[in-house]
Amino acid sequence: MPATSERVDHDAFRAAMSHWASGVAVVTTADLAGRHHGFTASSFTAVSLDPPLVLVCLDRDAICAPAFLESPWLGVHVLGRGQETLARRFARKSADKFAGVELASAPGMGGVPLLTGVLARLECRITSRLDGGDHVVLLAEVGRAALGGGPGEPLVYYHRAFHRLGAAH
Ligand SMILES: Cc1cc2nc3c(=O)[nH]c(=O)nc-3n(C[C@H](O)[C@H](O)[C@H](O)COP(=O)(O)O)c2cc1C
């Protein structure tokens, strides 16, 4: 192992991280004008049970970043097996990622668009925005957690591709 003070090569960092398997989420919000924004995320994780906190890391250069910097609310949608199309849609730069997507909304959440038919859904209030280099770490308290009635197995992202879970051992 090299000394930790040496800067790791970007390709080596990406290659190492590509071995980290994760779930896939779509994170949404609404800006103060009520416009809908969202992005596909693999950097989502639970942080604390009491209080219930989660985090997600957002690229500061993302088109939707200003919306997540001004809105106090976000929705996290855990995608299920077979929802790769939805994951790709929210990972593409596009004017309206929500066109044709069935939406719900939650009272008191500033009109944050909520996706239906996902594996699980968390309705959250952003409590801190932390510096994460070229990303901003959004720390959020979960106000409501629900199972969405979507397919029962999660969508998995590993080695820069979508996968299904293998058989349990
Ligand atoms: C599987 C997957 C996981 C991703 N995870 C993240 C993430 O955790 N944070 C992030 O900022 N972008 C992530 N991205 C990239 C964003 O989804 C993508 O750049 C998105 O278009 C950004 O939103 P924008 O269109 O508003 O710029 C991921 C993309 C994919 C395909």
Side-chain angles (χ1 to χ4, degrees), residues 22-25 37-44 56-65 87-94 97 135 157 162:
S22 72
V24 183
H37 302 269
F39 67 104
T40 297
S42 57
S43 60
F44 168 66
V56 64
C57 305
L58 172 61
D59 189 339
R60 292 185 185 276
D61 287 337
I63 295 168
C64 62
R88 288 201 181 92
R89 169 191 277 251
F90 279 89
R92 253 196 329 259
K93 307 230 171 258
S94 126
K97 300 177 181 182
H135 283 53
Y157 192 66
F162 295 108

